[in-house]
Amino acid sequence: MSLLMAFSIVLIILAVGDIISAKTKAFIPSVFVAALLFLFGFWTFFPGDIVAQAGFQTPVVYLSMYLLITHMGTLLSVKELAGQWRSVVIALIGIVGIISLTMTIGSAVFGFEAAVTATPPLTGGVVAAIIMNEAAAGLGLEQMAVLAIITYVMQGFIGYPLTSLMLKIEGTRLIEGYRKGEIEYKEVAEEGEEENSKKLIPPVPEQYRTTYVLLAKLGLTAWAAVAAGTFLEPYIGISPFVYCLIFGVIANAIGFVEKRPLNLSNSFGFLITVLMAFIFAGLSDATPTMLAELAGPLIGIIVFGVTGMAILSILMGKFLGYTREMSFAIALTALYGFPPNYILTEEGAKALAENEEEKKFLMSEMLPEMLVGGFTTVTIASVIIAGIFVNFL
């Protein structure tokens, strides 16, 4: 398969997902549609490495991830990030909910090894899945090794539609309150106004704010973030992606990087495409035979985990002043992380908003919580949990 043919097929699938999502007003999320189409393709005529053949290979994927997460940091102010402690608590209690049911009922029904292997990937992303996969394979537990990867690959099929539904309900409540004047969007009046006096570094003059300048500053910020993470790794074992988010916040706060630099440089759409294509590449491992053999423990552990997550996150959210829907949505980020948490939030906002101002309002109300929830679960907590659970095999 040629480069352009593979690229076209991958983009057609992502485009079909967008069209169906738009037609159904995000009732059927694009990521869910794309995942189904990729799964069908891998089971029929797609080569297993079609995403790599399309040009979306590891170096550009990591570059996209670093730049996108640093970009996301510019959307959050230092005050907002500090104020997201409730989202962190809800995300963490959601993980506790997962573990509480998978390691009790799930362990009793499907066996201790299956529960131990599948729980860390369910609490986060690919790193946790790889840790459990390699540990199980090293012990000769081939089915358990496969279960770790399949859990990571398949949990989105529950997470995507559930999150879409929660965000749609929450977004409807927010937009109705906004239209009635009951909820105020404080940033509307300030949007587009540079607060030069509050920035340590003055803004770049408009004529010099080119694509290259914007990307260079964003790249330098991401580079500094990853370098800081590498330097501190022996002392603080935090993913470099977390540093990218924090450095993005700081760089925007001091005026070094503009807000939404990837949008200003017209680069955001392509980088998101790279990342989403790479995520769906993981479905190539989910063969029909594999799914049939592991269907019982796979479905059971995911259902138990999501149920435990829902109960505890909703209870904690109620205590902290969040709605049931927002609390559950924050916790659900554990099932997919970034960038699906951004995509699902944007889709929900676009479906409910009648104009750009309403979309910005909805994004400002829901996106910070979803981003922080995803980083708490996928990037930090799941790796720690995998490091602990690997000792139980």
Side-chain angles (χ1 to χ4, degrees):
M1 185 176 290
S2 70
L3 168 67
L4 288 176
M5 182 179 180
F7 178 84
S8 299
I9 291 173
V10 169
L11 267 293
I12 287 170
I13 289 177
L14 296 175
V16 169
D18 274 351
I19 292 168
I20 292 177
S21 175
K23 284 284 186 182
T24 61
K25 294 190 179 294
F27 181 76
I28 303 175
S30 65
V31 285
F32 181 70
V33 175
L36 284 176
L37 291 175
F38 269 107
L39 194 61
F40 174 76
F42 286 128
W43 288 359
T44 52
F45 60 91
F46 282 6
D49 63 344
I50 186 172
V51 172
Q53 288 189 36
F56 305 128
Q57 300 184 44
T58 303
V60 72
V61 168
Y62 273 90
L63 176 64
S64 299
M65 181 75 91
Y66 290 135
L67 294 180
L68 279 164
I69 293 175
T70 308
H71 163 92
M72 292 299 169
T74 71
L75 304 181
L76 303 171
S77 67
V78 175
K79 184 178 178 181
E80 279 179 326
L81 196 59
Q84 288 300 324
W85 64 270
R86 293 184 300 170
S87 300
V88 172
V89 172
I90 291 170
L92 291 176
I93 203 68
I95 287 180
V96 172
I98 290 174
I99 296 171
S100 64
L101 287 194
T102 58
M103 294 308 298
T104 52
I105 302 174
S107 179
V109 175
F110 303 109
F112 183 75
E113 284 183 348
V116 167
T117 303
T119 296
L122 193 58
T123 65
V126 67
V127 175
I130 291 171
I131 290 172
M132 299 310 296
N133 170 266
E134 291 181 347
L139 294 170
L141 303 171
E142 294 181 5
Q143 274 206 330
M144 294 303 100
V146 171
L147 179 62
I149 296 298
I150 291 297
T151 302
Y152 162 70
V153 169
M154 301 304 294
Q155 60 193 9
F157 284 97
I158 289 181
Y160 298 151
L162 270 179
T163 304
S164 182
L165 178 61
M166 293 302 106
L167 290 178
K168 191 168 186 179
I169 296 172
E170 175 69 3
T172 299
R173 181 190 69 83
L174 289 168
I175 203 65
E176 287 177 355
Y178 175 68
R179 288 167 181 167
K180 292 176 182 176
E182 297 170 356
I183 304 175
E184 182 184 359
Y185 177 30
K186 297 178 182 178
E187 292 189 16
V188 169
E190 300 173 8
E191 193 72 38
E193 295 179 6
E194 292 287 345
E195 299 179 58
N196 299 339
S197 60
K198 296 183 181 180
K199 301 286 186 180
L200 181 64
I201 301 174
V204 174
E206 187 69 32
Q207 65 267 34
Y208 301 123
R209 202 177 294 181
T210 66
T211 295
Y212 299 144
V213 171
L214 291 165
L215 290 178
K217 293 197 294 179
L218 186 66
L220 284 170
T221 304
W223 178 36
V226 174
T230 303
F231 176 76
L232 294 172
E233 189 174 2
Y235 315 102
I236 308 173
I238 297 177
S239 167
F241 298 129
V242 176
Y243 288 104
C244 285
L245 183 75
I246 295 170
F247 272 56
V249 173
I250 296 170
N252 178 251
I254 65 175
F256 179 67
V257 175
E258 291 79 4
K259 197 169 187 178
R260 299 183 180 89
L262 289 179
N263 296 102
L264 293 175
S265 65
N266 297 314
S267 309
F268 182 81
F270 181 73
L271 294 184
I272 277 285
T273 301
V274 171
L275 213 50
M276 291 306 298
F278 180 73
I279 287 173
F280 292 129
L283 291 171
S284 63
D285 295 322
T287 65
T289 303
M290 192 182 295
L291 288 180
E293 291 175 353
L294 297 171
L298 173 67
I299 295 171
I301 289 173
I302 290 177
V303 169
F304 288 140
V306 172
T307 300
M309 170 199 289
I311 293 170
L312 289 194
S313 65
I314 288 172
L315 288 175
M316 180 58 72
K318 184 176 181 182
F319 177 74
L320 295 177
Y322 277 21
T323 63
R324 291 175 299 178
E325 292 78 19
M326 195 70 242
S327 301
F328 192 22
I330 291 169
L332 280 166
T333 59
L335 302 186
Y336 43 79
F338 178 84
N341 54 355
Y342 177 88
I343 299 291
L344 290 165
T345 307
E346 185 181 42
E347 280 186 351
K350 283 169 65 177
L352 295 169
E354 294 180 355
N355 51 55
E356 187 63 22
E357 186 176 295
E358 288 187 351
K359 180 190 169 186
K360 288 180 180 178
F361 162 72
L362 288 172
M363 292 289 279
S364 73
E365 292 289 325
M366 299 189 295
L367 184 59
E369 286 83 352
M370 294 296 287
L371 289 177
V372 171
F375 283 110
T376 301
T377 54
V378 174
T379 311
I380 303 173
S382 69
V383 178
I384 296 172
I385 291 167
I388 295 170
F389 273 51
V390 75
N391 298 307
F392 299 154
L393 282 174

